[in-house]
């Protein structure tokens, strides 16, 4: 046997079950309008002070229209006088490096 198989030979496997996931098919046709409704609520707007530096965490998996959503968030922050900056938050995407993740965002 190989080195790895020798190391795990005596480790019992946990019980496993088959899982089936069903996703909700509901969708928003006007996602940016709905997002803006939420972002421009007074209790949200008041949190942003002029000159405030605000991180916008952006992933890369599973979010439809992520570029438009990110742009709307950045626009709102700027409109309130904040200074947004993008923080890549992708885990292993882009080689799990900051530079690789920035490159993924540029490609989006």
């Amino acid at each position: 046997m190989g080195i790895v198989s020798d190391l795990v030979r005596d480790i019992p496997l946990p019980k496993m079950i088959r899982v089936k996931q069903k996703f909700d098919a509901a969708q928003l046709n006007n996602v940016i309008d709905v997002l803006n409704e939420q972002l421009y609520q007074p209790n949200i707007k008041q949190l942003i002070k002029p000159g405030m530096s605000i991180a916008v965490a952006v992933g890369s998996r599973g979010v439809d229209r992520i570029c438009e959503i990110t742009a709307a968030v950045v626009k709102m922050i700027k409109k309130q006088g904040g200074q947004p900056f993008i923080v890549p938050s992708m885990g292993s995407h882009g080689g799990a490096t900051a530079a690789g993740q920035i490159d993924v965002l540029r490609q989006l």
Side-chain angles (χ1 to χ4, degrees), residues 31-41 72-73 76:
V31 68
I32 301 305
D33 293 339
V34 173
L35 175 62
N36 283 329
E37 258 179 44
Q38 298 301 308
L39 289 174
Y40 286 94
Q41 288 184 27
V73 171
M76 181 274 192

Side-chain angles (χ1 to χ4, degrees), residues 1 4 6 8 24 33 37 51 54 58 63 70 83-84 93 96 99 107:
M1 284 194 162
V4 173
D6 287 343
V8 297
D24 184 351
D33 293 339
E37 258 179 44
I54 300 173
V58 181
V63 179
T70 302
Q83 299 175 351
H93 244 183
Q107 292 175 33

Side-chain angles (χ1 to χ4, degrees), residues 29-85:
N29 293 324
N30 55 346
V31 68
I32 301 305
D33 293 339
V34 173
L35 175 62
N36 283 329
E37 258 179 44
Q38 298 301 308
L39 289 174
Y40 286 94
Q41 288 184 27
N43 61 326
I44 300 297
K45 288 181 4 178
Q46 74 179 354
L47 297 172
I48 301 171
K49 309 294 183 218
M52 185 181 272
S53 185
I54 300 173
V56 179
V58 181
S60 60
R61 297 180 192 211
V63 179
D64 189 32
R65 299 175 64 185
I66 193 165
C67 294
E68 293 171 67
I69 291 168
T70 302
V73 171
V74 166
K75 181 179 178 180
M76 181 274 192
I77 292 169
K78 286 182 174 182
K79 205 172 204 179
Q80 297 309 119
Q83 299 175 351
F85 62 96

